[in-house]
Amino acid sequence: MTDFSFSEEQRDGLQELVNIAMGLASDKLARYLNTLVHLQVPAIKLVKTDYLPTHFANRYPQQSMTMISLGFFGDHGLRGETIMLYQLANVDTIAKLLGYNNDDSSEAEMLTDISSILTTTFLNGLAEQLENNFSYAAPRILSSRDQHFAEKLASTAKQWQLALQVDIRYQLIDYSFNCDMILLIPGEAVLRLRVILDKILANF
Amino acid sequence: MALTALICDDSLLARNQLKKSLPADFDANIITASNGLEALAMLRTQEVGIVFLDLTMPELDGIGVLEAIKSEGMDCLVIVVSADIQPEMQKRVMDLGALAFIQKPANAAKLTDVMHKYGLI
């Protein structure tokens, strides 16, 4: 069986690249909302994808949540999918901040906007650090109010061999909201990512 | 006697990147810390001339380090090197007495400019 694990140096390197990408995304969010976003060290962890549905069931017990997934495709076979998970209570907070109305169609619109600020900026920043170029698929929105949410999340996760779990907390001065971001990367892209990381690490 | 320079960042990659981006003619004894508490412990016991300080760190962040340096009246220069590039954050670190703010990953030319400006090289 192929070993998809990361060495401590590779994990540290990736965490730093994620940190730089998060800085860009937070800056964009801060400018958009005209506030200061408190950044924390991104906790990143490589996990098996079959662990994700249970992880999220435990993390959000009896809470309504929405997920937005965005597929990305880079050069040299580097590709994957990001999943952002929001608690619906947090979505209301962001909706108020952005001045959206409280109906379902604009909620979808708003989540797509936020996703583009946070996810696309993040991924563009990450691609730049990796000296790669990403292109994106159209975002998919899935709500826990939809039927078979858990199954859909499980089947999305199952398509990939490894998940890079990035726990992010965006804390604003007057408001606070959490969202989790998961980077899902297929096995061959993990191997590719390791080669790129080793190249970066070898420069220093 | 060569100057002591402290690089404070939780990431080994970031510390190595910064070390490599320092100008070749910067004659200093380089020490490192991986969070703000470690950095303060070093600053309290050693004579450090310049600190290259990250902001987003566990234990104690860069803002906490800047506040301690200010309140304890420590005599060291600080250049902030961070991924947290929000305008409000840059203003905050400058208000706390940092010499300059440099976006990560640190650009060698920018670093040289700033260090030249403050007579470090």
Side-chain angles (χ1 to χ4, degrees):
Chain A
M1 229 181 94
T2 316
D3 175 19
F4 291 121
S5 64
F6 278 54
S7 69
E8 178 47 31
E9 283 78 16
Q10 289 166 336
R11 198 206 56 79
D12 170 84
L14 185 58
Q15 175 154 314
E16 178 60 12
L17 303 187
V18 164
N19 181 36
I20 290 173
M22 259 182 64
L24 295 170
S26 301
D27 181 53
K28 191 139 181 190
L29 182 68
R31 288 168 192 264
Y32 197 80
L33 299 177
N34 200 20
T35 186
L36 183 70
V37 181
H38 181 65
L39 264 187
Q40 292 180 2
V41 183
I44 70 166
K45 210 161 56 169
L46 288 155
V47 296
K48 292 218 170 79
T49 51
D50 50 13
Y51 146 94
L52 287 176
T54 321
H55 171 68
F56 286 112
N58 292 337
R59 198 172 160 87
Y60 302 100
Q62 291 141 16
Q63 284 184 40
S64 299
M65 52 196 281
T66 296
M67 100 179 195
I68 300 179
S69 104
L70 186 68
F72 62 93
F73 307 88
D75 304 331
H76 314 295
L78 193 61
R79 64 188 181 92
E81 180 172 345
T82 61
I83 295 181
M84 300 277 288
L85 288 133
Y86 306 87
Q87 295 173 33
L88 284 184
N90 283 330
V91 170
D92 291 341
T93 305
I94 311 167
K96 285 197 191 91
L97 278 171
L98 297 180
Y100 283 91
N101 297 320
N102 256 342
D103 64 66
D104 281 350
S105 65
S106 71
E107 181 183 291
E109 197 186 328
M110 177 195 69
L111 286 170
T112 310
D113 282 357
I114 291 170
S115 170
S116 88
I117 295 168
L118 295 180
T119 319
T120 316
T121 309
F122 172 86
L123 286 171
N124 285 339
L126 190 62
E128 197 188 329
Q129 301 306 308
L130 296 170
E131 293 179 7
N132 209 292
N133 294 291
F134 292 169
S135 54
Y136 304 102
R140 273 191 312 132
I141 296 176
L142 199 60
S143 164
S144 63
R145 286 167 296 188
D146 298 344
Q147 283 192 319
H148 312 302
F149 176 75
E151 288 86 345
K152 281 181 187 161
L153 179 56
S155 76
T156 298
K158 222 166 55 190
Q159 296 165 29
W160 310 98
Q161 283 78 43
L162 187 104
L164 177 64
Q165 187 183 312
V166 187
D167 290 338
I168 297 179
R169 182 182 168 83
Y170 288 102
Q171 195 177 335
L172 312 181
I173 280 191
D174 303 317
Y175 307 88
S176 117
F177 71 93
N178 293 316
C179 56
D180 285 297
M181 189 169 82
I182 315 292
L183 268 175
L184 296 162
I185 306 169
E188 76 272 19
V190 172
L191 301 179
R192 183 68 217 160
L193 183 59
R194 280 204 314 219
V195 170
I196 297 170
L197 285 171
D198 283 343
K199 217 172 96 184
I200 293 172
L201 293 171
N203 281 332
F204 299 104
Chain B
M1 206 178 76
L3 184 81
T4 295
L6 169 62
I7 296 177
C8 179
D9 198 301
D10 56 318
S11 161
L12 174 68
L13 172 63
R15 294 196 297 273
N16 289 343
Q17 267 176 339
L18 190 78
K19 238 182 260 178
K20 204 175 166 181
S21 307
L22 289 172
D25 53 350
F26 179 50
D27 179 26
N29 163 38
I30 293 175
I31 56 174
T32 60
S34 60
N35 66 55
L37 289 184
E38 273 182 35
L40 283 184
M42 290 174 176
L43 290 172
R44 285 174 186 137
T45 52
Q46 299 179 49
E47 193 132 322
V48 175
I50 173 85
V51 185
F52 297 95
L53 183 67
D54 181 26
L55 292 179
T56 314
M57 290 185 292
E59 308 296 338
L60 182 70
D61 63 16
I63 293 291
V65 174
L66 281 167
E67 283 169 350
I69 288 174
K70 198 175 177 184
S71 71
E72 294 176 33
M74 291 180 198
D75 186 24
C76 63
L77 305 173
V78 181
I79 293 176
V80 170
V81 183
S82 174
D84 191 350
I85 55 172
Q86 301 174 68
E88 181 63 33
M89 193 51 101
Q90 298 196 32
K91 185 180 176 295
R92 194 184 277 193
V93 303
M94 298 309 281
D95 287 349
L96 281 168
L99 285 188
F101 182 100
I102 295 179
Q103 178 174 359
K104 266 185 174 182
N107 173 287
K110 173 93 198 265
L111 207 51
T112 304
D113 273 0
V114 169
M115 291 173 69
H116 189 71
K117 186 174 165 192
Y118 291 98
L120 290 158
I121 44 171

